[in-house]
Amino acid sequence: MAAALNAAVCVGSSSAFVVSTRSRHSSSQLLPRISSSFPAPMTLRMSSDDVDVEALMAAAAKAREEARQLAAELGKDFDKDFGGSSKAPTEVLQQNLSPEEISTALSSVQFDDMSSVSSLDDLTSSGKILLWKAARGNRASPGMSGTEPYTVNLNTLESRTGGKLTPTSLGIGGEADVSLEDFQDATIAVVAGSTVSAVASLVFLPENVGATLCYFLALVPILWIGIGSSAPGILAGLIMSVRGGTDGGEDRLDRVCRHEAGHFLCGYLLGLPIRSYSIDDATGVPKVEFYSGFDTNQSRELSKEEVAALAVVALSGSVAEATKFEAAKGGENDLRELQNIFRRSEEFLGASIQQDWTRWGALTSYQLIKKYETQYAALVCAFKEGKSVADCITAIESS
């Protein structure tokens, strides 16, 4: 059934993105009826001398209408479930504006509320900006829509990214900034250091002072374990500050900027509204948070399109790191956020579908970052300089 519908879609619109959909009925129930009602394959011939355009359009329209009828019989929405929308790709008026003109156009946009969506839509319609929602819906490139998931296995993910994206390189089950071994080593160091210091205070300090200091030093390991049990993030921060990270300071800054810029770029291309944007006090790097959906209602269930877009954005940070470094760090955080998104889906997503969508999200974000590589590089520089939201968008649009 899906093959027949997909064939009809391809005949009717060469830019349609086809997603295979499973029917709730068994194939043994459906195949006989479909095979008897669906017309025989058509052979379309075009010569350079005489091309009957009207005949081709009529044949395509007929095939699409028959596919629409078959979808209706199965209780499916042809446009929604099989990418059969007859709408032409959205065209926008393109203006060649300078970075200063783009910045001026963005100066009136309020990025801290939902009014920014309509403002950016208006700027896109007028041609002042071009990449807002460029990877979403009819504006997406053929074969690479950011909101139409399809099955991606590990081999496909690795082969289509040149071996750069694997579970290990994405930081899923791989290396983290602070591992369990780091906590163990730090705990041993704290206990040993406290013990040596306590003994030394008794030996070298006056009796009363040494005894008092020894008492307080004995409490240090207890406090360390207590904090580690209740708030391990605090100890992780201490460990990172002491060792300065596994990378040098400059490399770590580059890693963080690339991670956050990946989130920002994919979120912008998919048209997700910005919820908050701030400069991290510790790193000085901007951090952006998007609304989990295309509106401000954060308690409702999410549509398939919203879940797909958020899956791409959630994984884009780790993907951006993996394209530059051997492996991303902190990929578990992105994966946990993605699990929260899956739980809010209005359609039930089983474990197998979640795995497919996770791999698809990683592949799609990789394709977006590679396609807009110049814009991404400019955005990374803007993040390193701590630019504002408007400046970051200007960097994307003017590159």
Side-chain angles (χ1 to χ4, degrees), residues 46-72:
M46 293 185 294
S47 65
S48 58
D49 297 328
D50 185 15
V51 178
D52 193 346
V53 177
E54 293 185 359
L56 291 176
M57 294 181 63
K62 180 180 179 181
R64 290 171 60 82
E65 184 59 31
E66 291 173 345
R68 194 183 301 278
Q69 293 175 359
L70 288 173

mmCIF file with all atom_site columns, all heavy atoms in Angstrom, residues 46-72:
data_model
loop_
_atom_site.group_PDB
_atom_site.id
_atom_site.type_symbol
_atom_site.label_atom_id
_atom_site.label_alt_id
_atom_site.label_comp_id
_atom_site.label_asym_id
_atom_site.label_entity_id
_atom_site.label_seq_id
_atom_site.pdbx_PDB_ins_code
_atom_site.Cartn_x
_atom_site.Cartn_y
_atom_site.Cartn_z
_atom_site.occupancy
_atom_site.B_iso_or_equiv
_atom_site.pdbx_formal_charge
_atom_site.auth_seq_id
_atom_site.auth_comp_id
_atom_site.auth_asym_id
_atom_site.auth_atom_id
_atom_site.pdbx_PDB_model_num
ATOM 1   N N   . MET A 1 46 ? 9.073   11.391 -23.053 1.00 0.00 ? 46 MET A N   1
ATOM 2   C CA  . MET A 1 46 ? 9.212   12.779 -23.458 1.00 0.00 ? 46 MET A CA  1
ATOM 3   C C   . MET A 1 46 ? 10.289  12.867 -24.529 1.00 0.00 ? 46 MET A C   1
ATOM 4   O O   . MET A 1 46 ? 11.388  12.329 -24.340 1.00 0.00 ? 46 MET A O   1
ATOM 5   C CB  . MET A 1 46 ? 9.593   13.667 -22.264 1.00 0.00 ? 46 MET A CB  1
ATOM 6   C CG  . MET A 1 46 ? 8.503   13.781 -21.218 1.00 0.00 ? 46 MET A CG  1
ATOM 7   S SD  . MET A 1 46 ? 8.915   14.937 -19.914 1.00 0.00 ? 46 MET A SD  1
ATOM 8   C CE  . MET A 1 46 ? 10.286  14.072 -19.170 1.00 0.00 ? 46 MET A CE  1
ATOM 9   N N   . SER A 1 47 ? 9.996   13.501 -25.609 1.00 0.00 ? 47 SER A N   1
ATOM 10  C CA  . SER A 1 47 ? 11.002  13.732 -26.645 1.00 0.00 ? 47 SER A CA  1
ATOM 11  C C   . SER A 1 47 ? 11.391  15.194 -26.629 1.00 0.00 ? 47 SER A C   1
ATOM 12  O O   . SER A 1 47 ? 10.645  16.048 -26.167 1.00 0.00 ? 47 SER A O   1
ATOM 13  C CB  . SER A 1 47 ? 10.452  13.353 -28.020 1.00 0.00 ? 47 SER A CB  1
ATOM 14  O OG  . SER A 1 47 ? 9.378   14.220 -28.378 1.00 0.00 ? 47 SER A OG  1
ATOM 15  N N   . SER A 1 48 ? 12.546  15.473 -27.145 1.00 0.00 ? 48 SER A N   1
ATOM 16  C CA  . SER A 1 48 ? 13.031  16.851 -27.174 1.00 0.00 ? 48 SER A CA  1
ATOM 17  C C   . SER A 1 48 ? 12.264  17.698 -28.172 1.00 0.00 ? 48 SER A C   1
ATOM 18  O O   . SER A 1 48 ? 12.282  18.920 -28.107 1.00 0.00 ? 48 SER A O   1
ATOM 19  C CB  . SER A 1 48 ? 14.525  16.863 -27.533 1.00 0.00 ? 48 SER A CB  1
ATOM 20  O OG  . SER A 1 48 ? 14.729  16.226 -28.779 1.00 0.00 ? 48 SER A OG  1
ATOM 21  N N   . ASP A 1 49 ? 11.563  17.028 -29.121 1.00 0.00 ? 49 ASP A N   1
ATOM 22  C CA  . ASP A 1 49 ? 10.856  17.774 -30.165 1.00 0.00 ? 49 ASP A CA  1
ATOM 23  C C   . ASP A 1 49 ? 9.426   18.104 -29.772 1.00 0.00 ? 49 ASP A C   1
ATOM 24  O O   . ASP A 1 49 ? 8.902   19.160 -30.090 1.00 0.00 ? 49 ASP A O   1
ATOM 25  C CB  . ASP A 1 49 ? 10.848  16.966 -31.481 1.00 0.00 ? 49 ASP A CB  1
ATOM 26  C CG  . ASP A 1 49 ? 12.253  16.751 -32.015 1.00 0.00 ? 49 ASP A CG  1
ATOM 27  O OD1 . ASP A 1 49 ? 13.099  17.642 -31.806 1.00 0.00 ? 49 ASP A OD1 1
ATOM 28  O OD2 . ASP A 1 49 ? 12.485  15.688 -32.627 1.00 0.00 ? 49 ASP A OD2 1
ATOM 29  N N   . ASP A 1 50 ? 8.780   17.185 -29.058 1.00 0.00 ? 50 ASP A N   1
ATOM 30  C CA  . ASP A 1 50 ? 7.355   17.374 -28.775 1.00 0.00 ? 50 ASP A CA  1
ATOM 31  C C   . ASP A 1 50 ? 7.039   16.821 -27.402 1.00 0.00 ? 50 ASP A C   1
ATOM 32  O O   . ASP A 1 50 ? 7.025   15.614 -27.204 1.00 0.00 ? 50 ASP A O   1
ATOM 33  C CB  . ASP A 1 50 ? 6.519   16.666 -29.848 1.00 0.00 ? 50 ASP A CB  1
ATOM 34  C CG  . ASP A 1 50 ? 5.031   16.921 -29.667 1.00 0.00 ? 50 ASP A CG  1
ATOM 35  O OD1 . ASP A 1 50 ? 4.690   17.856 -28.911 1.00 0.00 ? 50 ASP A OD1 1
ATOM 36  O OD2 . ASP A 1 50 ? 4.234   16.179 -30.271 1.00 0.00 ? 50 ASP A OD2 1
ATOM 37  N N   . VAL A 1 51 ? 6.792   17.682 -26.445 1.00 0.00 ? 51 VAL A N   1
ATOM 38  C CA  . VAL A 1 51 ? 6.483   17.278 -25.096 1.00 0.00 ? 51 VAL A CA  1
ATOM 39  C C   . VAL A 1 51 ? 5.061   17.714 -24.769 1.00 0.00 ? 51 VAL A C   1
ATOM 40  O O   . VAL A 1 51 ? 4.758   18.901 -24.785 1.00 0.00 ? 51 VAL A O   1
ATOM 41  C CB  . VAL A 1 51 ? 7.473   17.905 -24.087 1.00 0.00 ? 51 VAL A CB  1
ATOM 42  C CG1 . VAL A 1 51 ? 7.092   17.492 -22.676 1.00 0.00 ? 51 VAL A CG1 1
ATOM 43  C CG2 . VAL A 1 51 ? 8.888   17.482 -24.415 1.00 0.00 ? 51 VAL A CG2 1
ATOM 44  N N   . ASP A 1 52 ? 4.200   16.772 -24.528 1.00 0.00 ? 52 ASP A N   1
ATOM 45  C CA  . ASP A 1 52 ? 2.810   17.091 -24.220 1.00 0.00 ? 52 ASP A CA  1
ATOM 46  C C   . ASP A 1 52 ? 2.698   17.374 -22.728 1.00 0.00 ? 52 ASP A C   1
ATOM 47  O O   . ASP A 1 52 ? 2.419   16.491 -21.910 1.00 0.00 ? 52 ASP A O   1
ATOM 48  C CB  . ASP A 1 52 ? 1.918   15.921 -24.616 1.00 0.00 ? 52 ASP A CB  1
ATOM 49  C CG  . ASP A 1 52 ? 0.440   16.312 -24.606 1.00 0.00 ? 52 ASP A CG  1
ATOM 50  O OD1 . ASP A 1 52 ? 0.107   17.375 -24.052 1.00 0.00 ? 52 ASP A OD1 1
ATOM 51  O OD2 . ASP A 1 52 ? -0.366  15.546 -25.147 1.00 0.00 ? 52 ASP A OD2 1
ATOM 52  N N   . VAL A 1 53 ? 2.927   18.619 -22.354 1.00 0.00 ? 53 VAL A N   1
ATOM 53  C CA  . VAL A 1 53 ? 2.941   19.004 -20.946 1.00 0.00 ? 53 VAL A CA  1
ATOM 54  C C   . VAL A 1 53 ? 1.586   18.791 -20.305 1.00 0.00 ? 53 VAL A C   1
ATOM 55  O O   . VAL A 1 53 ? 1.470   18.304 -19.178 1.00 0.00 ? 53 VAL A O   1
ATOM 56  C CB  . VAL A 1 53 ? 3.390   20.477 -20.799 1.00 0.00 ? 53 VAL A CB  1
ATOM 57  C CG1 . VAL A 1 53 ? 3.341   20.895 -19.336 1.00 0.00 ? 53 VAL A CG1 1
ATOM 58  C CG2 . VAL A 1 53 ? 4.776   20.665 -21.375 1.00 0.00 ? 53 VAL A CG2 1
ATOM 59  N N   . GLU A 1 54 ? 0.533   19.136 -21.018 1.00 0.00 ? 54 GLU A N   1
ATOM 60  C CA  . GLU A 1 54 ? -0.804  19.003 -20.450 1.00 0.00 ? 54 GLU A CA  1
ATOM 61  C C   . GLU A 1 54 ? -1.138  17.542 -20.157 1.00 0.00 ? 54 GLU A C   1
ATOM 62  O O   . GLU A 1 54 ? -1.774  17.219 -19.146 1.00 0.00 ? 54 GLU A O   1
ATOM 63  C CB  . GLU A 1 54 ? -1.833  19.614 -21.402 1.00 0.00 ? 54 GLU A CB  1
ATOM 64  C CG  . GLU A 1 54 ? -1.700  21.139 -21.543 1.00 0.00 ? 54 GLU A CG  1
ATOM 65  C CD  . GLU A 1 54 ? -2.808  21.722 -22.406 1.00 0.00 ? 54 GLU A CD  1
ATOM 66  O OE1 . GLU A 1 54 ? -3.650  20.918 -22.897 1.00 0.00 ? 54 GLU A OE1 1
ATOM 67  O OE2 . GLU A 1 54 ? -2.831  22.942 -22.588 1.00 0.00 ? 54 GLU A OE2 1
ATOM 68  N N   . ALA A 1 55 ? -0.721  16.652 -21.043 1.00 0.00 ? 55 ALA A N   1
ATOM 69  C CA  . ALA A 1 55 ? -0.983  15.231 -20.828 1.00 0.00 ? 55 ALA A CA  1
ATOM 70  C C   . ALA A 1 55 ? -0.243  14.707 -19.610 1.00 0.00 ? 55 ALA A C   1
ATOM 71  O O   . ALA A 1 55 ? -0.771  13.918 -18.822 1.00 0.00 ? 55 ALA A O   1
ATOM 72  C CB  . ALA A 1 55 ? -0.587  14.428 -22.073 1.00 0.00 ? 55 ALA A CB  1
ATOM 73  N N   . LEU A 1 56 ? 0.997   15.157 -19.438 1.00 0.00 ? 56 LEU A N   1
ATOM 74  C CA  . LEU A 1 56 ? 1.773   14.742 -18.274 1.00 0.00 ? 56 LEU A CA  1
ATOM 75  C C   . LEU A 1 56 ? 1.134   15.237 -16.982 1.00 0.00 ? 56 LEU A C   1
ATOM 76  O O   . LEU A 1 56 ? 1.037   14.505 -16.000 1.00 0.00 ? 56 LEU A O   1
ATOM 77  C CB  . LEU A 1 56 ? 3.204   15.265 -18.389 1.00 0.00 ? 56 LEU A CB  1
ATOM 78  C CG  . LEU A 1 56 ? 4.081   14.638 -19.485 1.00 0.00 ? 56 LEU A CG  1
ATOM 79  C CD1 . LEU A 1 56 ? 5.435   15.332 -19.531 1.00 0.00 ? 56 LEU A CD1 1
ATOM 80  C CD2 . LEU A 1 56 ? 4.267   13.155 -19.223 1.00 0.00 ? 56 LEU A CD2 1
ATOM 81  N N   . MET A 1 57 ? 0.715   16.507 -16.983 1.00 0.00 ? 57 MET A N   1
ATOM 82  C CA  . MET A 1 57 ? 0.086   17.071 -15.783 1.00 0.00 ? 57 MET A CA  1
ATOM 83  C C   . MET A 1 57 ? -1.226  16.356 -15.477 1.00 0.00 ? 57 MET A C   1
ATOM 84  O O   . MET A 1 57 ? -1.550  16.106 -14.311 1.00 0.00 ? 57 MET A O   1
ATOM 85  C CB  . MET A 1 57 ? -0.137  18.563 -15.980 1.00 0.00 ? 57 MET A CB  1
ATOM 86  C CG  . MET A 1 57 ? 1.151   19.381 -16.083 1.00 0.00 ? 57 MET A CG  1
ATOM 87  S SD  . MET A 1 57 ? 0.861   21.147 -16.281 1.00 0.00 ? 57 MET A SD  1
ATOM 88  C CE  . MET A 1 57 ? 0.038   21.511 -14.730 1.00 0.00 ? 57 MET A CE  1
ATOM 89  N N   . ALA A 1 58 ? -1.989  16.014 -16.535 1.00 0.00 ? 58 ALA A N   1
ATOM 90  C CA  . ALA A 1 58 ? -3.256  15.314 -16.321 1.00 0.00 ? 58 ALA A CA  1
ATOM 91  C C   . ALA A 1 58 ? -3.012  13.923 -15.749 1.00 0.00 ? 58 ALA A C   1
ATOM 92  O O   . ALA A 1 58 ? -3.721  13.467 -14.850 1.00 0.00 ? 58 ALA A O   1
ATOM 93  C CB  . ALA A 1 58 ? -4.023  15.231 -17.637 1.00 0.00 ? 58 ALA A CB  1
ATOM 94  N N   . ALA A 1 59 ? -1.970  13.231 -16.273 1.00 0.00 ? 59 ALA A N   1
ATOM 95  C CA  . ALA A 1 59 ? -1.657  11.899 -15.766 1.00 0.00 ? 59 ALA A CA  1
ATOM 96  C C   . ALA A 1 59 ? -1.212  11.954 -14.312 1.00 0.00 ? 59 ALA A C   1
ATOM 97  O O   . ALA A 1 59 ? -1.587  11.106 -13.496 1.00 0.00 ? 59 ALA A O   1
ATOM 98  C CB  . ALA A 1 59 ? -0.559  11.266 -16.633 1.00 0.00 ? 59 ALA A CB  1
ATOM 99  N N   . ALA A 1 60 ? -0.413  12.960 -13.974 1.00 0.00 ? 60 ALA A N   1
ATOM 100 C CA  . ALA A 1 60 ? 0.046   13.107 -12.595 1.00 0.00 ? 60 ALA A CA  1
ATOM 101 C C   . ALA A 1 60 ? -1.121  13.408 -11.668 1.00 0.00 ? 60 ALA A C   1
ATOM 102 O O   . ALA A 1 60 ? -1.227  12.853 -10.569 1.00 0.00 ? 60 ALA A O   1
ATOM 103 C CB  . ALA A 1 60 ? 1.092   14.221 -12.509 1.00 0.00 ? 60 ALA A CB  1
ATOM 104 N N   . ALA A 1 61 ? -2.026  14.294 -12.108 1.00 0.00 ? 61 ALA A N   1
ATOM 105 C CA  . ALA A 1 61 ? -3.181  14.640 -11.284 1.00 0.00 ? 61 ALA A CA  1
ATOM 106 C C   . ALA A 1 61 ? -4.080  13.437 -11.056 1.00 0.00 ? 61 ALA A C   1
ATOM 107 O O   . ALA A 1 61 ? -4.609  13.221 -9.957  1.00 0.00 ? 61 ALA A O   1
ATOM 108 C CB  . ALA A 1 61 ? -3.962  15.784 -11.935 1.00 0.00 ? 61 ALA A CB  1
ATOM 109 N N   . LYS A 1 62 ? -4.248  12.608 -12.108 1.00 0.00 ? 62 LYS A N   1
ATOM 110 C CA  . LYS A 1 62 ? -5.080  11.412 -11.983 1.00 0.00 ? 62 LYS A CA  1
ATOM 111 C C   . LYS A 1 62 ? -4.463  10.424 -10.998 1.00 0.00 ? 62 LYS A C   1
ATOM 112 O O   . LYS A 1 62 ? -5.159  9.846  -10.147 1.00 0.00 ? 62 LYS A O   1
ATOM 113 C CB  . LYS A 1 62 ? -5.245  10.759 -13.352 1.00 0.00 ? 62 LYS A CB  1
ATOM 114 C CG  . LYS A 1 62 ? -6.099  9.492  -13.324 1.00 0.00 ? 62 LYS A CG  1
ATOM 115 C CD  . LYS A 1 62 ? -6.210  8.894  -14.715 1.00 0.00 ? 62 LYS A CD  1
ATOM 116 C CE  . LYS A 1 62 ? -7.033  7.609  -14.677 1.00 0.00 ? 62 LYS A CE  1
ATOM 117 N NZ  . LYS A 1 62 ? -7.134  6.990  -16.028 1.00 0.00 ? 62 LYS A NZ  1
ATOM 118 N N   . ALA A 1 63 ? -3.147  10.230 -11.103 1.00 0.00 ? 63 ALA A N   1
ATOM 119 C CA  . ALA A 1 63 ? -2.464  9.295  -10.196 1.00 0.00 ? 63 ALA A CA  1
ATOM 120 C C   . ALA A 1 63 ? -2.551  9.772  -8.754  1.00 0.00 ? 63 ALA A C   1
ATOM 121 O O   . ALA A 1 63 ? -2.760  8.983  -7.828  1.00 0.00 ? 63 ALA A O   1
ATOM 122 C CB  . ALA A 1 63 ? -1.004  9.133  -10.611 1.00 0.00 ? 63 ALA A CB  1
ATOM 123 N N   . ARG A 1 64 ? -2.392  11.067 -8.549  1.00 0.00 ? 64 ARG A N   1
ATOM 124 C CA  . ARG A 1 64 ? -2.478  11.622 -7.194  1.00 0.00 ? 64 ARG A CA  1
ATOM 125 C C   . ARG A 1 64 ? -3.889  11.466 -6.631  1.00 0.00 ? 64 ARG A C   1
ATOM 126 O O   . ARG A 1 64 ? -4.068  11.175 -5.448  1.00 0.00 ? 64 ARG A O   1
ATOM 127 C CB  . ARG A 1 64 ? -2.071  13.085 -7.201  1.00 0.00 ? 64 ARG A CB  1
ATOM 128 C CG  . ARG A 1 64 ? -0.588  13.320 -7.464  1.00 0.00 ? 64 ARG A CG  1
ATOM 129 C CD  . ARG A 1 64 ? -0.287  14.785 -7.683  1.00 0.00 ? 64 ARG A CD  1
ATOM 130 N NE  . ARG A 1 64 ? -0.667  15.566 -6.513  1.00 0.00 ? 64 ARG A NE  1
ATOM 131 C CZ  . ARG A 1 64 ? 0.111   15.685 -5.429  1.00 0.00 ? 64 ARG A CZ  1
ATOM 132 N NH1 . ARG A 1 64 ? 1.291   15.078 -5.395  1.00 0.00 ? 64 ARG A NH1 1
ATOM 133 N NH2 . ARG A 1 64 ? -0.288  16.393 -4.406  1.00 0.00 ? 64 ARG A NH2 1
ATOM 134 N N   . GLU A 1 65 ? -4.911  11.672 -7.476  1.00 0.00 ? 65 GLU A N   1
ATOM 135 C CA  . GLU A 1 65 ? -6.283  11.557 -7.007  1.00 0.00 ? 65 GLU A CA  1
ATOM 136 C C   . GLU A 1 65 ? -6.616  10.117 -6.623  1.00 0.00 ? 65 GLU A C   1
ATOM 137 O O   . GLU A 1 65 ? -7.286  9.857  -5.613  1.00 0.00 ? 65 GLU A O   1
ATOM 138 C CB  . GLU A 1 65 ? -7.244  12.043 -8.089  1.00 0.00 ? 65 GLU A CB  1
ATOM 139 C CG  . GLU A 1 65 ? -8.707  12.051 -7.659  1.00 0.00 ? 65 GLU A CG  1
ATOM 140 C CD  . GLU A 1 65 ? -8.943  12.931 -6.443  1.00 0.00 ? 65 GLU A CD  1
ATOM 141 O OE1 . GLU A 1 65 ? -8.217  13.936 -6.279  1.00 0.00 ? 65 GLU A OE1 1
ATOM 142 O OE2 . GLU A 1 65 ? -9.861  12.600 -5.657  1.00 0.00 ? 65 GLU A OE2 1
ATOM 143 N N   . GLU A 1 66 ? -6.130  9.148  -7.415  1.00 0.00 ? 66 GLU A N   1
ATOM 144 C CA  . GLU A 1 66 ? -6.356  7.743  -7.080  1.00 0.00 ? 66 GLU A CA  1
ATOM 145 C C   . GLU A 1 66 ? -5.650  7.376  -5.782  1.00 0.00 ? 66 GLU A C   1
ATOM 146 O O   . GLU A 1 66 ? -6.188  6.629  -4.956  1.00 0.00 ? 66 GLU A O   1
ATOM 147 C CB  . GLU A 1 66 ? -5.873  6.861  -8.227  1.00 0.00 ? 66 GLU A CB  1
ATOM 148 C CG  . GLU A 1 66 ? -6.743  6.982  -9.478  1.00 0.00 ? 66 GLU A CG  1
ATOM 149 C CD  . GLU A 1 66 ? -6.151  6.230  -10.657 1.00 0.00 ? 66 GLU A CD  1
ATOM 150 O OE1 . GLU A 1 66 ? -4.952  5.867  -10.567 1.00 0.00 ? 66 GLU A OE1 1
ATOM 151 O OE2 . GLU A 1 66 ? -6.866  6.002  -11.646 1.00 0.00 ? 66 GLU A OE2 1
ATOM 152 N N   . ALA A 1 67 ? -4.442  7.898  -5.591  1.00 0.00 ? 67 ALA A N   1
ATOM 153 C CA  . ALA A 1 67 ? -3.726  7.640  -4.341  1.00 0.00 ? 67 ALA A CA  1
ATOM 154 C C   . ALA A 1 67 ? -4.447  8.280  -3.165  1.00 0.00 ? 67 ALA A C   1
ATOM 155 O O   . ALA A 1 67 ? -4.509  7.717  -2.072  1.00 0.00 ? 67 ALA A O   1
ATOM 156 C CB  . ALA A 1 67 ? -2.303  8.179  -4.439  1.00 0.00 ? 67 ALA A CB  1
ATOM 157 N N   . ARG A 1 68 ? -5.017  9.460  -3.381  1.00 0.00 ? 68 ARG A N   1
ATOM 158 C CA  . ARG A 1 68 ? -5.766  10.120 -2.313  1.00 0.00 ? 68 ARG A CA  1
ATOM 159 C C   . ARG A 1 68 ? -6.994  9.306  -1.912  1.00 0.00 ? 68 ARG A C   1
ATOM 160 O O   . ARG A 1 68 ? -7.344  9.211  -0.733  1.00 0.00 ? 68 ARG A O   1
ATOM 161 C CB  . ARG A 1 68 ? -6.163  11.520 -2.776  1.00 0.00 ? 68 ARG A CB  1
ATOM 162 C CG  . ARG A 1 68 ? -6.642  12.447 -1.663  1.00 0.00 ? 68 ARG A CG  1
ATOM 163 C CD  . ARG A 1 68 ? -7.073  13.783 -2.250  1.00 0.00 ? 68 ARG A CD  1
ATOM 164 N NE  . ARG A 1 68 ? -5.979  14.415 -2.967  1.00 0.00 ? 68 ARG A NE  1
ATOM 165 C CZ  . ARG A 1 68 ? -5.027  15.127 -2.385  1.00 0.00 ? 68 ARG A CZ  1
ATOM 166 N NH1 . ARG A 1 68 ? -5.054  15.290 -1.082  1.00 0.00 ? 68 ARG A NH1 1
ATOM 167 N NH2 . ARG A 1 68 ? -4.083  15.682 -3.111  1.00 0.00 ? 68 ARG A NH2 1
ATOM 168 N N   . GLN A 1 69 ? -7.669  8.714  -2.920  1.00 0.00 ? 69 GLN A N   1
ATOM 169 C CA  . GLN A 1 69 ? -8.836  7.887  -2.630  1.00 0.00 ? 69 GLN A CA  1
ATOM 170 C C   . GLN A 1 69 ? -8.449  6.641  -1.848  1.00 0.00 ? 69 GLN A C   1
ATOM 171 O O   . GLN A 1 69 ? -9.142  6.238  -0.912  1.00 0.00 ? 69 GLN A O   1
ATOM 172 C CB  . GLN A 1 69 ? -9.527  7.510  -3.940  1.00 0.00 ? 69 GLN A CB  1
ATOM 173 C CG  . GLN A 1 69 ? -10.167 8.679  -4.674  1.00 0.00 ? 69 GLN A CG  1
ATOM 174 C CD  . GLN A 1 69 ? -10.739 8.292  -6.012  1.00 0.00 ? 69 GLN A CD  1
ATOM 175 O OE1 . GLN A 1 69 ? -10.655 7.137  -6.424  1.00 0.00 ? 69 GLN A OE1 1
ATOM 176 N NE2 . GLN A 1 69 ? -11.335 9.256  -6.711  1.00 0.00 ? 69 GLN A NE2 1
ATOM 177 N N   . LEU A 1 70 ? -7.335  6.005  -2.233  1.00 0.00 ? 70 LEU A N   1
ATOM 178 C CA  . LEU A 1 70 ? -6.873  4.831  -1.503  1.00 0.00 ? 70 LEU A CA  1
ATOM 179 C C   . LEU A 1 70 ? -6.538  5.175  -0.059  1.00 0.00 ? 70 LEU A C   1
ATOM 180 O O   . LEU A 1 70 ? -6.843  4.426  0.870   1.00 0.00 ? 70 LEU A O   1
ATOM 181 C CB  . LEU A 1 70 ? -5.640  4.235  -2.192  1.00 0.00 ? 70 LEU A CB  1
ATOM 182 C CG  . LEU A 1 70 ? -5.882  3.520  -3.534  1.00 0.00 ? 70 LEU A CG  1
ATOM 183 C CD1 . LEU A 1 70 ? -4.547  3.140  -4.162  1.00 0.00 ? 70 LEU A CD1 1
ATOM 184 C CD2 . LEU A 1 70 ? -6.748  2.296  -3.323  1.00 0.00 ? 70 LEU A CD2 1
ATOM 185 N N   . ALA A 1 71 ? -5.908  6.325  0.134   1.00 0.00 ? 71 ALA A N   1
ATOM 186 C CA  . ALA A 1 71 ? -5.566  6.752  1.492   1.00 0.00 ? 71 ALA A CA  1
ATOM 187 C C   . ALA A 1 71 ? -6.820  6.989  2.314   1.00 0.00 ? 71 ALA A C   1
ATOM 188 O O   . ALA A 1 71 ? -6.884  6.646  3.502   1.00 0.00 ? 71 ALA A O   1
ATOM 189 C CB  . ALA A 1 71 ? -4.713  8.010  1.445   1.00 0.00 ? 71 ALA A CB  1
ATOM 190 N N   . ALA A 1 72 ? -7.847  7.582  1.683   1.00 0.00 ? 72 ALA A N   1
ATOM 191 C CA  . ALA A 1 72 ? -9.098  7.836  2.396   1.00 0.00 ? 72 ALA A CA  1
ATOM 192 C C   . ALA A 1 72 ? -9.771  6.542  2.821   1.00 0.00 ? 72 ALA A C   1
ATOM 193 O O   . ALA A 1 72 ? -10.344 6.439  3.909   1.00 0.00 ? 72 ALA A O   1
ATOM 194 C CB  . ALA A 1 72 ? -10.034 8.665  1.515   1.00 0.00 ? 72 ALA A CB  1
#
